Amino acid sequence: MKEMIKRIFLVAFILLIVTAVSGFFYMQKHPLDGRKATGKNLNFIGNISK
């Protein structure tokens, strides 16, 4: 019984890691673009330009 619980937690942890890594690589390829939602762009100084 104890071994089965360990295995369930291990599988859940591995699935969580795989989901996080795949989400990271997806966001590298398809970044969220805030300009679509707000129509504003934030430059490096921090000023908001339209």
Side-chain angles (χ1 to χ4, degrees):
M1 183 69 184
K2 197 173 181 182
E3 195 65 33
M4 193 172 80
I5 293 173
K6 277 187 189 176
R7 184 172 293 182
I8 289 170
F9 275 111
L10 183 67
V11 169
F13 184 72
I14 290 172
L15 286 174
L16 188 68
I17 297 290
V18 169
T19 305
V21 170
S22 65
F24 174 77
F25 283 119
Y26 179 81
M27 290 307 296
Q28 293 295 313
K29 195 167 188 178
H30 307 282
L32 286 175
D33 194 2
R35 285 179 294 173
K36 292 180 199 164
T38 61
K40 297 177 182 175
N41 194 8
L42 194 67
N43 62 15
F44 291 109
I45 301 168
N47 298 329
I48 297 175
S49 60
K50 290 186 180 182

